[in-house]
Structure formats: C-alpha cells, structure tokens
C-alpha cells in the first residue's frame, strides 16, 4: 500500500509544474497558489467536518506553523521560480527533498546519519550540480535566481515533513491536509490582495476552473492526504522519496506538451538522483525484493 501511494503521489505531484506553467500566462504566481489552496480546501472541507476531533488540535501553534511551511510558503517560491525555469530542470532540482530531509534530521533532531546516508547525500548533491551545469550549458538562458528559489521551496517542505513526523503524529490525515490548504489560502491570499487583487477576472471561461480543479482539488487537496499518509506510515524520509520519482512525470509532460528541451546532462543528473535514493533506502528495497 505504501509503494502504491508513493507512485500515485509522484504521478500527481509530478504534473504540478506542468499545470502551473499553463496558468502562469494569466495568473500571478501568488494567485495560482491562492486558488490552488482554496480549491484544495473546498475539496477537503466535507471530510474535515466529518472526521475532525479535539485531539487533532492539541498543538495548535505547531499545527499552524508546520502546515504553513508545507504548502503556502514553498508553493509561492515554486510558482515564482517557474517563471524563469524549465519544468524539466525544475523537476530534477525538486528531487533534492530527501537530501534536505537527512540534513535537517541530523541538524535539528541530532539523528545520527549512517555512512550510507551520507554517501546518498553526496551523490544526490552531485546530481543537482550536474543538472545546474546542464541547464547553464543548454541552449536556453539559465537563471540562478529561479533555481535558488526552487531549492528554498524544497528546503521548506522537507522541513515540514521532518517536523510533522515528530510533532503531529496525533493529527489525522484529513486534518493535516485541510489545515495545510487553509494556511496556504490565508498566507497567499494576503499577498494576492497587493500583487493581483482582481485575479478573479481571469476566470472568464471554463479553462481556469478546470485547471484549478485538477491542480487544487486533485493534485493539492487529495495529494496532500496521500503525502501525510506516507509521512505518518513510512516516516519523513520515505515520504520525501516522492520528489525522486516526480521528475519522470515532470520531464515527460514538459517535453511532450511544453516543447521543452532535455539534454544528456539533465538525464545524467537524474541518474545521480535515482542512485542517491537507492543508497538512502538500500535496505528497504532489499526487503521489498525478498517479499
């Protein structure tokens, strides 16, 4: 069940970059995050009202902070980064989640890292560097600013996975997912009032509604339920493995529908990333193969 959920989430979240790119010509990045969270919140509201309990709100400050850094803050950075970054490169850079996860686990909770995990971090970092070099040497202009923004976003939601696994074990999946959408809606809505207060005018046909139904309700709303299921059942680092699988869908959609170019350097960087995830979870894969 965990493996099925991991692959399903990678398919959903791997298409995030594609749908965001489709919306960027009409919406400001902050507005995209607002409507993405709003639609996701509306999809989860009936389930939240049905399943919520007082136990879920034992640690309200931690709940608000962790859910905010899970979606609202990083999604704004991610949307801004895609203004100057191809989805193919963005998908590979996004795969650095488990690397940040290990670093944060060691630095925040003093969790001892094994030699295998340290090697996986080094290999994964090599993959990121290879991708950056490939992007710089590509035919299209490469901008370090957007790449840096995306890596900051990855750091934020990696931190949220580590913190939620530590402090929010008592919360139900639906409450965590709904509060993530709620926190993201409020956070991005405040900024949207200043940068694009009349964003609703872009809903002049059916296309934006359909795109936000997919991006907001399905990918973000129910995708977050799968994500927190992985965090609670498999642990933070296991849940972050989704970022290693996402580039497959991201690159496929970018090349097929956005006419983005992919070179051997990006594929080589992706190979580094997959090697890193294998090293990080070598024991897990051996156990899975023996079943």
């Amino acid at each position: 069940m965990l493996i099925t959920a991991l692959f399903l989430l990678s398919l959903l979240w791997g298409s995030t970059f594609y749908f965001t790119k489709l919306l960027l010509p009409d919406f400001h990045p902050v507005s995209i995050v607002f409507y993405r969270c709003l639609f996701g919140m509306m999809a989860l509201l009936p389930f939240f009202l049905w399943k919520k309990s007082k136990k879920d709100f034992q640690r309200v400050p931690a709940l608000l902070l962790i859910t905010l850094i899970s979606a609202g803050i990083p999604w704004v950075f991610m949307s801004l980064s895609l203004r100057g970054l191809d989805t193919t490169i963005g998908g590979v850079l996004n795969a650095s989640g488990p690397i940040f996860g290990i670093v944060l686990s060691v630095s925040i909770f003093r969790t001892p890292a094994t030699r295998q995990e340290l090697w996986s971090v080094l290999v994964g970092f090599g993959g990121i560097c290879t991708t950056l070099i490939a992007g710089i040497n590509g035919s299209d202009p490469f901008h370090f600013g957007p790449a840096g923004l995306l890596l900051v976003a990855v750091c934020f939601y990696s931190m949220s996975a580590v913190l939620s696994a530590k402090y929010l074990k008592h919360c139900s999946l639906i409450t965590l997912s709904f509060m993530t959408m709620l926190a993201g809606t409020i956070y991005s809505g405040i900024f949207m009032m200043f940068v694009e207060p009349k964003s609703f005018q872009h809903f002049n046909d059916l296309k934006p509604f359909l795109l936000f139904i997919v991006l907001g309700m399905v990918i973000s709303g129910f995708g977050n339920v799968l994500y927190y299921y992985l965090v609670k059942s498999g642990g933070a680092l296991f849940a972050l493995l989704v970022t290693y699988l996402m580039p497959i869908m991201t690159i496929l959609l970018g090349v097929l529908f956005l006419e983005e170019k992919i070179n051997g350097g990006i594929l080589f960087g992706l190979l580094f990333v997959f090697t890193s995830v294998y090293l990080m979870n070598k024991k897990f894969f051996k156990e899975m193969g023996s079943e």
Side-chain angles (χ1 to χ4, degrees), residues 154-170:
V154 176
C155 183
F156 269 108
Y157 63 69
S158 298
M159 186 185 299
S160 75
V162 172
L163 293 176
S164 60
K166 178 73 174 179
Y167 296 111
L168 298 179
K169 291 181 180 179
H170 61 284

Side-chain angles (χ1 to χ4, degrees), residues 35 69 86 88 99 102 130 152 171 179 256 265 281:
Y35 291 112
I69 63 176
D86 279 356
T88 52
I99 300 172
I102 285 184
T130 303
V152 171
C171 282
M179 291 301 297
L256 291 179
N281 296 271

